[in-house]
mmCIF file of all heavy atoms in Angstrom:
data_model
loop_
_atom_site.group_PDB
_atom_site.id
_atom_site.type_symbol
_atom_site.label_atom_id
_atom_site.label_comp_id
_atom_site.label_asym_id
_atom_site.label_seq_id
_atom_site.Cartn_x
_atom_site.Cartn_y
_atom_site.Cartn_z
ATOM 1 N N ARG P 98 -10.644 0.429 34.434
ATOM 2 C CA ARG P 98 -11.992 0.967 34.474
ATOM 3 C C ARG P 98 -12.024 2.381 35.100
ATOM 4 O O ARG P 98 -11.103 2.651 35.889
ATOM 5 C CB ARG P 98 -12.883 0.129 35.341
ATOM 6 C CG ARG P 98 -13.164 -1.265 34.836
ATOM 7 C CD ARG P 98 -14.374 -1.319 34.030
ATOM 8 N NE ARG P 98 -14.720 -2.672 33.601
ATOM 9 C CZ ARG P 98 -15.882 -3.010 33.234
ATOM 10 N NH1 ARG P 98 -16.860 -2.202 33.267
ATOM 11 N NH2 ARG P 98 -16.102 -4.245 32.825
ATOM 12 N N TYR P 99 -12.918 3.218 34.607
ATOM 13 C CA TYR P 99 -12.988 4.523 35.218
ATOM 14 C C TYR P 99 -13.542 4.401 36.639
ATOM 15 O O TYR P 99 -14.397 3.506 36.903
ATOM 16 C CB TYR P 99 -13.916 5.422 34.370
ATOM 17 C CG TYR P 99 -13.373 5.700 32.998
ATOM 18 C CD1 TYR P 99 -14.005 5.346 31.844
ATOM 19 C CD2 TYR P 99 -12.161 6.428 32.862
ATOM 20 C CE1 TYR P 99 -13.525 5.606 30.615
ATOM 21 C CE2 TYR P 99 -11.649 6.736 31.608
ATOM 22 C CZ TYR P 99 -12.312 6.291 30.494
ATOM 23 O OH TYR P 99 -11.789 6.549 29.252
ATOM 24 N N ASP P 100 -13.121 5.264 37.510
ATOM 25 C CA ASP P 100 -13.542 5.300 38.918
ATOM 26 C C ASP P 100 -13.705 6.727 39.353
ATOM 27 O O ASP P 100 -12.752 7.514 39.167
ATOM 28 C CB ASP P 100 -12.526 4.564 39.800
ATOM 29 C CG ASP P 100 -12.893 4.492 41.222
ATOM 30 O OD1 ASP P 100 -14.145 4.463 41.511
ATOM 31 O OD2 ASP P 100 -12.019 4.403 42.075
ATOM 32 N N TYR P 101 -14.861 7.053 39.894
ATOM 33 C CA TYR P 101 -15.132 8.381 40.387
ATOM 34 C C TYR P 101 -14.852 8.413 41.849
ATOM 35 O O TYR P 101 -15.254 7.565 42.618
ATOM 36 C CB TYR P 101 -16.578 8.746 40.112
ATOM 37 C CG TYR P 101 -17.106 9.877 41.002
ATOM 38 C CD1 TYR P 101 -16.665 11.166 40.862
ATOM 39 C CD2 TYR P 101 -18.092 9.611 41.972
ATOM 40 C CE1 TYR P 101 -17.154 12.181 41.691
ATOM 41 C CE2 TYR P 101 -18.565 10.593 42.782
ATOM 42 C CZ TYR P 101 -18.084 11.867 42.618
ATOM 43 O OH TYR P 101 -18.559 12.879 43.462
ATOM 44 N N ASP P 102 -13.975 9.392 42.254
ATOM 45 C CA ASP P 102 -13.677 9.588 43.653
ATOM 46 C C ASP P 102 -13.960 11.038 44.078
ATOM 47 O O ASP P 102 -13.716 11.937 43.296
ATOM 48 C CB ASP P 102 -12.169 9.346 43.957
ATOM 49 C CG ASP P 102 -11.774 7.897 43.818
ATOM 50 O OD1 ASP P 102 -12.579 7.029 44.222
ATOM 51 O OD2 ASP P 102 -10.660 7.605 43.285
ATOM 52 N N HIS P 103 -14.534 11.193 45.195
ATOM 53 C CA HIS P 103 -14.744 12.538 45.717
ATOM 54 C C HIS P 103 -14.201 12.531 47.150
ATOM 55 O O HIS P 103 -14.712 11.801 48.027
ATOM 56 C CB HIS P 103 -16.212 12.946 45.731
ATOM 57 C CG HIS P 103 -16.454 14.263 46.422
ATOM 58 N ND1 HIS P 103 -17.211 14.396 47.515
ATOM 59 C CD2 HIS P 103 -15.919 15.454 46.143
ATOM 60 C CE1 HIS P 103 -17.179 15.661 47.900
ATOM 61 N NE2 HIS P 103 -16.450 16.310 47.087
ATOM 62 N N PHE P 104 -13.133 13.369 47.346
ATOM 63 C CA PHE P 104 -12.541 13.455 48.652
ATOM 64 C C PHE P 104 -13.214 14.671 49.352
ATOM 65 O O PHE P 104 -13.096 15.809 48.852
ATOM 66 C CB PHE P 104 -11.047 13.640 48.538
ATOM 67 C CG PHE P 104 -10.411 12.477 47.771
ATOM 68 C CD1 PHE P 104 -9.945 12.706 46.521
ATOM 69 C CD2 PHE P 104 -10.330 11.247 48.377
ATOM 70 C CE1 PHE P 104 -9.401 11.599 45.752
ATOM 71 C CE2 PHE P 104 -9.783 10.178 47.646
ATOM 72 C CZ PHE P 104 -9.320 10.401 46.366
ATOM 73 N N LYS P 105 -13.846 14.451 50.442
ATOM 74 C CA LYS P 105 -14.650 15.530 51.081
ATOM 75 C C LYS P 105 -13.816 16.747 51.455
ATOM 76 O O LYS P 105 -14.334 17.837 51.551
ATOM 77 C CB LYS P 105 -15.317 14.928 52.308
ATOM 78 C CG LYS P 105 -16.410 13.956 51.876
ATOM 79 C CD LYS P 105 -17.081 13.289 53.055
ATOM 80 C CE LYS P 105 -18.140 12.289 52.665
ATOM 81 N NZ LYS P 105 -18.056 11.559 51.523
ATOM 82 N N ASP P 106 -12.514 16.530 51.725
ATOM 83 C CA ASP P 106 -11.681 17.716 52.107
ATOM 84 C C ASP P 106 -11.154 18.466 50.870
ATOM 85 O O ASP P 106 -10.450 19.425 51.050
ATOM 86 C CB ASP P 106 -10.532 17.258 53.011
ATOM 87 C CG ASP P 106 -9.626 16.208 52.334
ATOM 88 O OD1 ASP P 106 -10.079 15.541 51.303
ATOM 89 O OD2 ASP P 106 -8.485 16.060 52.738
ATOM 90 N N GLN P 107 -11.526 18.040 49.676
ATOM 91 C CA GLN P 107 -11.063 18.717 48.470
ATOM 92 C C GLN P 107 -12.216 19.285 47.711
ATOM 93 O O GLN P 107 -13.303 18.622 47.658
ATOM 94 C CB GLN P 107 -10.305 17.674 47.585
ATOM 95 C CG GLN P 107 -9.212 17.029 48.331
ATOM 96 C CD GLN P 107 -7.876 17.250 47.637
ATOM 97 O OE1 GLN P 107 -7.762 17.653 46.523
ATOM 98 N NE2 GLN P 107 -6.806 16.872 48.330
ATOM 99 N N PRO P 108 -12.020 20.425 47.039
ATOM 100 C CA PRO P 108 -13.157 21.024 46.325
ATOM 101 C C PRO P 108 -13.353 20.439 44.948
ATOM 102 O O PRO P 108 -14.259 20.860 44.208
ATOM 103 C CB PRO P 108 -12.785 22.516 46.255
ATOM 104 C CG PRO P 108 -11.260 22.444 46.262
ATOM 105 C CD PRO P 108 -10.878 21.297 47.105
ATOM 106 N N ALA P 109 -12.548 19.498 44.591
ATOM 107 C CA ALA P 109 -12.648 18.943 43.225
ATOM 108 C C ALA P 109 -12.955 17.481 43.261
ATOM 109 O O ALA P 109 -12.942 16.847 44.324
ATOM 110 C CB ALA P 109 -11.292 19.166 42.488
ATOM 111 N N ILE P 110 -13.211 16.901 42.097
ATOM 112 C CA ILE P 110 -13.417 15.471 41.964
ATOM 113 C C ILE P 110 -12.216 14.816 41.343
ATOM 114 O O ILE P 110 -11.337 15.522 40.814
ATOM 115 C CB ILE P 110 -14.681 15.159 41.097
ATOM 116 C CG1 ILE P 110 -14.508 15.740 39.719
ATOM 117 C CG2 ILE P 110 -15.916 15.610 41.821
ATOM 118 C CD1 ILE P 110 -15.302 15.071 38.663
ATOM 119 N N CYS P 111 -12.193 13.558 41.289
ATOM 120 C CA CYS P 111 -11.134 12.806 40.690
ATOM 121 C C CYS P 111 -11.745 11.716 39.860
ATOM 122 O O CYS P 111 -12.625 10.998 40.313
ATOM 123 C CB CYS P 111 -10.450 12.188 41.933
ATOM 124 S SG CYS P 111 -8.835 11.839 41.934
ATOM 125 N N ILE P 112 -11.332 11.596 38.640
ATOM 126 C CA ILE P 112 -11.709 10.500 37.804
ATOM 127 C C ILE P 112 -10.461 9.703 37.588
ATOM 128 O O ILE P 112 -9.435 10.146 37.024
ATOM 129 C CB ILE P 112 -12.273 10.953 36.442
ATOM 130 C CG1 ILE P 112 -13.425 11.959 36.635
ATOM 131 C CG2 ILE P 112 -12.695 9.741 35.585
ATOM 132 C CD1 ILE P 112 -14.619 11.383 37.401
ATOM 133 N N ALA P 113 -10.448 8.445 38.066
ATOM 134 C CA ALA P 113 -9.292 7.597 38.010
ATOM 135 C C ALA P 113 -9.504 6.514 36.976
ATOM 136 O O ALA P 113 -10.597 6.173 36.559
ATOM 137 C CB ALA P 113 -8.982 6.987 39.378
ATOM 138 N N ILE P 114 -8.383 5.926 36.558
ATOM 139 C CA ILE P 114 -8.374 4.708 35.733
ATOM 140 C C ILE P 114 -7.658 3.679 36.603
ATOM 141 O O ILE P 114 -6.449 3.838 36.918
ATOM 142 C CB ILE P 114 -7.646 4.874 34.445
ATOM 143 C CG1 ILE P 114 -8.358 5.906 33.572
ATOM 144 C CG2 ILE P 114 -7.596 3.525 33.684
ATOM 145 C CD1 ILE P 114 -7.602 6.281 32.289
ATOM 146 N N ARG P 115 -8.400 2.659 37.070
ATOM 147 C CA ARG P 115 -7.881 1.654 37.949
ATOM 148 C C ARG P 115 -8.015 0.286 37.404
ATOM 149 O O ARG P 115 -8.884 -0.040 36.589
ATOM 150 C CB ARG P 115 -8.572 1.763 39.337
ATOM 151 C CG ARG P 115 -8.351 3.093 39.986
ATOM 152 C CD ARG P 115 -8.397 2.925 41.540
ATOM 153 N NE ARG P 115 -7.844 4.121 42.115
ATOM 154 C CZ ARG P 115 -8.519 5.208 42.461
ATOM 155 N NH1 ARG P 115 -9.780 5.278 42.160
ATOM 156 N NH2 ARG P 115 -7.912 6.264 43.017
ATOM 157 N N THR P 116 -7.190 -0.664 37.930
ATOM 158 C CA THR P 116 -7.321 -2.057 37.595
ATOM 159 C C THR P 116 -8.671 -2.579 38.049
ATOM 160 O O THR P 116 -9.158 -2.223 39.142
ATOM 161 C CB THR P 116 -6.161 -2.839 38.267
ATOM 162 O OG1 THR P 116 -4.914 -2.393 37.751
ATOM 163 C CG2 THR P 116 -6.322 -4.314 38.011
ATOM 164 N N ALA P 117 -9.256 -3.414 37.167
ATOM 165 C CA ALA P 117 -10.508 -4.075 37.523
ATOM 166 C C ALA P 117 -10.358 -5.547 37.279
ATOM 167 O O ALA P 117 -9.365 -5.972 36.596
ATOM 168 C CB ALA P 117 -11.591 -3.513 36.654
ATOM 169 N N PRO P 118 -11.137 -6.366 37.875
ATOM 170 C CA PRO P 118 -11.014 -7.835 37.647
ATOM 171 C C PRO P 118 -10.928 -8.263 36.175
ATOM 172 O O PRO P 118 -10.244 -9.178 35.819
ATOM 173 C CB PRO P 118 -12.239 -8.452 38.329
ATOM 174 C CG PRO P 118 -12.638 -7.391 39.358
ATOM 175 C CD PRO P 118 -12.290 -6.107 38.756
ATOM 176 N N ASP P 119 -11.641 -7.517 35.314
ATOM 177 C CA ASP P 119 -11.660 -7.895 33.912
ATOM 178 C C ASP P 119 -10.681 -7.115 33.058
ATOM 179 O O ASP P 119 -10.612 -7.349 31.861
ATOM 180 C CB ASP P 119 -13.072 -7.700 33.366
ATOM 181 C CG ASP P 119 -13.568 -6.290 33.384
ATOM 182 O OD1 ASP P 119 -12.998 -5.480 34.131
ATOM 183 O OD2 ASP P 119 -14.504 -5.972 32.688
ATOM 184 N N SER P 120 -9.984 -6.175 33.654
ATOM 185 C CA SER P 120 -9.110 -5.304 32.781
ATOM 186 C C SER P 120 -8.000 -4.676 33.703
ATOM 187 O O SER P 120 -8.279 -3.870 34.575
ATOM 188 C CB SER P 120 -9.936 -4.256 32.145
ATOM 189 O OG SER P 120 -9.175 -3.449 31.296
ATOM 190 N N PRO P 121 -6.753 -4.963 33.415
ATOM 191 C CA PRO P 121 -5.687 -4.270 34.165
ATOM 192 C C PRO P 121 -5.555 -2.853 33.722
ATOM 193 O O PRO P 121 -5.997 -2.430 32.652
ATOM 194 C CB PRO P 121 -4.435 -5.103 33.699
ATOM 195 C CG PRO P 121 -4.775 -5.689 32.356
ATOM 196 C CD PRO P 121 -6.234 -5.905 32.357
ATOM 197 N N ALA P 122 -5.004 -2.020 34.593
ATOM 198 C CA ALA P 122 -4.801 -0.630 34.364
ATOM 199 C C ALA P 122 -3.836 -0.440 33.135
ATOM 200 O O ALA P 122 -3.129 -1.357 32.780
ATOM 201 C CB ALA P 122 -4.212 0.063 35.595
ATOM 202 N N PRO P 123 -3.857 0.702 32.505
ATOM 203 C CA PRO P 123 -2.982 0.928 31.344
ATOM 204 C C PRO P 123 -1.469 0.763 31.708
ATOM 205 O O PRO P 123 -1.080 0.974 32.867
ATOM 206 C CB PRO P 123 -3.226 2.404 30.940
ATOM 207 C CG PRO P 123 -4.578 2.695 31.569
ATOM 208 C CD PRO P 123 -4.689 1.854 32.809
ATOM 209 N N SER P 124 -0.703 0.422 30.702
ATOM 210 C CA SER P 124 0.762 0.334 30.910
ATOM 211 C C SER P 124 1.268 1.775 31.148
ATOM 212 O O SER P 124 0.622 2.753 30.872
ATOM 213 C CB SER P 124 1.403 -0.252 29.661
ATOM 214 O OG SER P 124 1.298 0.671 28.578
ATOM 215 N N ILE P 125 2.486 1.812 31.669
ATOM 216 C CA ILE P 125 3.102 3.118 31.890
ATOM 217 C C ILE P 125 3.231 3.902 30.575
ATOM 218 O O ILE P 125 2.995 5.121 30.515
ATOM 219 C CB ILE P 125 4.498 2.966 32.606
ATOM 220 C CG1 ILE P 125 4.191 2.487 34.025
ATOM 221 C CG2 ILE P 125 5.288 4.288 32.600
ATOM 222 C CD1 ILE P 125 5.506 2.173 34.775
ATOM 223 N N ALA P 126 3.648 3.200 29.522
ATOM 224 C CA ALA P 126 3.790 3.840 28.201
ATOM 225 C C ALA P 126 2.436 4.439 27.718
ATOM 226 O O ALA P 126 2.393 5.589 27.268
ATOM 227 C CB ALA P 126 4.317 2.887 27.165
ATOM 228 N N ASP P 127 1.333 3.699 27.892
ATOM 229 C CA ASP P 127 0.048 4.173 27.507
ATOM 230 C C ASP P 127 -0.361 5.378 28.365
ATOM 231 O O ASP P 127 -0.939 6.328 27.855
ATOM 232 C CB ASP P 127 -0.985 3.085 27.498
ATOM 233 C CG ASP P 127 -0.901 2.138 26.374
ATOM 234 O OD1 ASP P 127 -0.248 2.449 25.378
ATOM 235 O OD2 ASP P 127 -1.485 1.029 26.475
ATOM 236 N N ALA P 128 -0.108 5.263 29.697
ATOM 237 C CA ALA P 128 -0.453 6.336 30.606
ATOM 238 C C ALA P 128 0.338 7.593 30.306
ATOM 239 O O ALA P 128 -0.177 8.705 30.345
ATOM 240 C CB ALA P 128 -0.204 5.919 32.062
ATOM 241 N N GLN P 129 1.575 7.476 29.913
ATOM 242 C CA GLN P 129 2.412 8.630 29.570
ATOM 243 C C GLN P 129 1.887 9.253 28.264
ATOM 244 O O GLN P 129 1.863 10.507 28.110
ATOM 245 C CB GLN P 129 3.878 8.251 29.415
ATOM 246 C CG GLN P 129 4.541 7.959 30.723
ATOM 247 C CD GLN P 129 5.954 7.439 30.615
ATOM 248 O OE1 GLN P 129 6.228 6.669 29.614
ATOM 249 N NE2 GLN P 129 6.773 7.720 31.557
ATOM 250 N N MET P 130 1.429 8.456 27.331
ATOM 251 C CA MET P 130 0.889 8.932 26.079
ATOM 252 C C MET P 130 -0.410 9.731 26.368
ATOM 253 O O MET P 130 -0.616 10.791 25.847
ATOM 254 C CB MET P 130 0.567 7.814 25.106
ATOM 255 C CG MET P 130 0.292 8.267 23.711
ATOM 256 S SD MET P 130 0.001 6.838 22.578
ATOM 257 C CE MET P 130 1.279 5.809 22.895
ATOM 258 N N LEU P 131 -1.225 9.195 27.237
ATOM 259 C CA LEU P 131 -2.468 9.849 27.657
ATOM 260 C C LEU P 131 -2.140 11.172 28.376
ATOM 261 O O LEU P 131 -2.730 12.202 28.127
ATOM 262 C CB LEU P 131 -3.313 8.931 28.549
ATOM 263 C CG LEU P 131 -4.577 9.488 29.158
ATOM 264 C CD1 LEU P 131 -5.525 10.034 28.124
ATOM 265 C CD2 LEU P 131 -5.244 8.424 29.994
ATOM 266 N N ASP P 132 -1.131 11.143 29.270
ATOM 267 C CA ASP P 132 -0.721 12.318 29.976
ATOM 268 C C ASP P 132 -0.205 13.405 29.014
ATOM 269 O O ASP P 132 -0.506 14.551 29.243
ATOM 270 C CB ASP P 132 0.350 11.921 30.984
ATOM 271 C CG ASP P 132 0.644 13.067 31.968
ATOM 272 O OD1 ASP P 132 -0.248 13.903 32.221
ATOM 273 O OD2 ASP P 132 1.773 13.155 32.445
ATOM 274 N N ALA P 133 0.475 12.989 27.980
ATOM 275 C CA ALA P 133 1.001 13.969 27.023
ATOM 276 C C ALA P 133 -0.170 14.669 26.301
ATOM 277 O O ALA P 133 -0.099 15.825 25.945
ATOM 278 C CB ALA P 133 1.917 13.280 25.994
ATOM 279 N N ILE P 134 -1.284 13.949 26.057
ATOM 280 C CA ILE P 134 -2.441 14.509 25.435
ATOM 281 C C ILE P 134 -3.154 15.487 26.390
ATOM 282 O O ILE P 134 -3.516 16.612 25.990
ATOM 283 C CB ILE P 134 -3.399 13.437 24.953
ATOM 284 C CG1 ILE P 134 -2.797 12.648 23.786
ATOM 285 C CG2 ILE P 134 -4.712 14.064 24.514
ATOM 286 C CD1 ILE P 134 -3.533 11.357 23.403
ATOM 287 N N ILE P 135 -3.294 15.063 27.648
ATOM 288 C CA ILE P 135 -3.940 15.879 28.655
ATOM 289 C C ILE P 135 -3.184 17.076 29.080
ATOM 290 O O ILE P 135 -3.685 18.173 29.182
ATOM 291 C CB ILE P 135 -4.396 15.003 29.841
ATOM 292 C CG1 ILE P 135 -5.505 14.028 29.358
ATOM 293 C CG2 ILE P 135 -4.915 15.827 30.992
ATOM 294 C CD1 ILE P 135 -5.907 13.069 30.383
ATOM 295 N N ASP P 136 -1.899 16.796 29.426
ATOM 296 C CA ASP P 136 -1.120 17.977 29.908
ATOM 297 C C ASP P 136 0.379 17.856 29.643
ATOM 298 O O ASP P 136 0.747 18.100 28.517
ATOM 299 C CB ASP P 136 -1.382 18.339 31.346
ATOM 300 C CG ASP P 136 -1.184 17.240 32.377
ATOM 301 O OD1 ASP P 136 -0.422 16.258 32.067
ATOM 302 O OD2 ASP P 136 -1.706 17.358 33.469
ATOM 303 N N ASP P 137 1.175 17.468 30.604
ATOM 304 C CA ASP P 137 2.657 17.644 30.478
ATOM 305 C C ASP P 137 3.417 16.348 30.111
ATOM 306 O O ASP P 137 4.610 16.384 29.953
ATOM 307 C CB ASP P 137 3.205 18.247 31.732
ATOM 308 C CG ASP P 137 2.983 17.394 32.991
ATOM 309 O OD1 ASP P 137 2.390 16.296 32.858
ATOM 310 O OD2 ASP P 137 3.400 17.805 34.042
ATOM 311 N N GLY P 138 2.797 15.204 30.087
ATOM 312 C CA GLY P 138 3.488 13.947 29.728
ATOM 313 C C GLY P 138 4.292 13.358 30.825
ATOM 314 O O GLY P 138 4.991 12.350 30.674
ATOM 315 N N VAL P 139 4.242 13.951 32.019
ATOM 316 C CA VAL P 139 4.978 13.432 33.201
ATOM 317 C C VAL P 139 3.930 12.959 34.210
ATOM 318 O O VAL P 139 3.111 13.746 34.689
ATOM 319 C CB VAL P 139 5.853 14.555 33.806
ATOM 320 C CG1 VAL P 139 6.641 14.040 35.022
ATOM 321 C CG2 VAL P 139 6.863 15.090 32.807
ATOM 322 N N LEU P 140 4.032 11.728 34.590
ATOM 323 C CA LEU P 140 2.995 11.107 35.432
ATOM 324 C C LEU P 140 3.085 11.518 36.880
ATOM 325 O O LEU P 140 2.238 11.231 37.709
ATOM 326 C CB LEU P 140 3.065 9.563 35.354
ATOM 327 C CG LEU P 140 2.577 9.014 34.051
ATOM 328 C CD1 LEU P 140 2.866 7.520 33.932
ATOM 329 C CD2 LEU P 140 1.115 9.285 33.810
ATOM 330 N N SER P 141 4.078 12.293 37.269
ATOM 331 C CA SER P 141 4.186 12.740 38.667
ATOM 332 C C SER P 141 3.766 14.174 38.860
ATOM 333 O O SER P 141 3.709 14.673 39.976
ATOM 334 C CB SER P 141 5.646 12.621 39.143
ATOM 335 O OG SER P 141 6.530 13.344 38.347
ATOM 336 N N THR P 142 3.384 14.870 37.750
ATOM 337 C CA THR P 142 2.921 16.241 37.864
ATOM 338 C C THR P 142 1.724 16.444 36.937
ATOM 339 O O THR P 142 1.391 15.655 36.065
ATOM 340 C CB THR P 142 4.059 17.204 37.438
ATOM 341 O OG1 THR P 142 4.422 16.954 36.043
ATOM 342 C CG2 THR P 142 5.281 17.082 38.305
ATOM 343 N N GLY P 143 1.095 17.562 37.059
ATOM 344 C CA GLY P 143 0.042 17.982 36.177
ATOM 345 C C GLY P 143 -1.314 17.421 36.549
ATOM 346 O O GLY P 143 -1.545 16.954 37.706
ATOM 347 N N ASN P 144 -2.274 17.491 35.630
ATOM 348 C CA ASN P 144 -3.647 17.106 35.878
ATOM 349 C C ASN P 144 -3.906 15.612 35.801
ATOM 350 O O ASN P 144 -4.914 15.147 36.189
ATOM 351 C CB ASN P 144 -4.607 17.803 34.919
ATOM 352 C CG ASN P 144 -4.664 19.334 35.185
ATOM 353 O OD1 ASN P 144 -4.616 19.724 36.335
ATOM 354 N ND2 ASN P 144 -4.807 20.088 34.157
ATOM 355 N N PHE P 145 -3.006 14.873 35.189
ATOM 356 C CA PHE P 145 -3.103 13.440 35.047
ATOM 357 C C PHE P 145 -1.833 12.866 35.646
ATOM 358 O O PHE P 145 -0.750 13.191 35.225
ATOM 359 C CB PHE P 145 -3.272 13.045 33.580
ATOM 360 C CG PHE P 145 -3.519 11.530 33.436
ATOM 361 C CD1 PHE P 145 -4.757 11.045 33.699
ATOM 362 C CD2 PHE P 145 -2.508 10.731 33.019
ATOM 363 C CE1 PHE P 145 -4.985 9.620 33.544
ATOM 364 C CE2 PHE P 145 -2.725 9.331 32.843
ATOM 365 C CZ PHE P 145 -3.976 8.818 33.108
ATOM 366 N N ARG P 146 -1.980 12.011 36.621
ATOM 367 C CA ARG P 146 -0.767 11.492 37.305
ATOM 368 C C ARG P 146 -1.029 10.129 37.905
ATOM 369 O O ARG P 146 -2.138 9.667 37.994
ATOM 370 C CB ARG P 146 -0.310 12.466 38.384
ATOM 371 C CG ARG P 146 -1.368 12.780 39.466
ATOM 372 C CD ARG P 146 -0.907 13.717 40.470
ATOM 373 N NE ARG P 146 -0.784 15.074 39.999
ATOM 374 C CZ ARG P 146 -0.260 16.079 40.638
ATOM 375 N NH1 ARG P 146 0.176 15.874 41.828
ATOM 376 N NH2 ARG P 146 -0.139 17.228 40.110
#
Side-chain angles (χ1 to χ4, degrees):
R98 294 267 184 161
Y99 294 117
D100 182 28
Y101 159 68
D102 290 322
H103 174 241
F104 304 107
K105 291 175 181 31
D106 59 339
Q107 306 238 345
I110 59 155
C111 210
I112 305 299
I114 299 176
R115 296 210 166 86
T116 296
D119 64 341
S120 183
S124 68
I125 291 175
D127 284 343
Q129 287 172 329
M130 191 179 314
L131 175 55
D132 190 28
I134 293 169
I135 291 175
D136 57 20
D137 62 0
V139 179
L140 291 171
S141 59
T142 62
N144 291 325
F145 185 77
R146 58 179 71 188

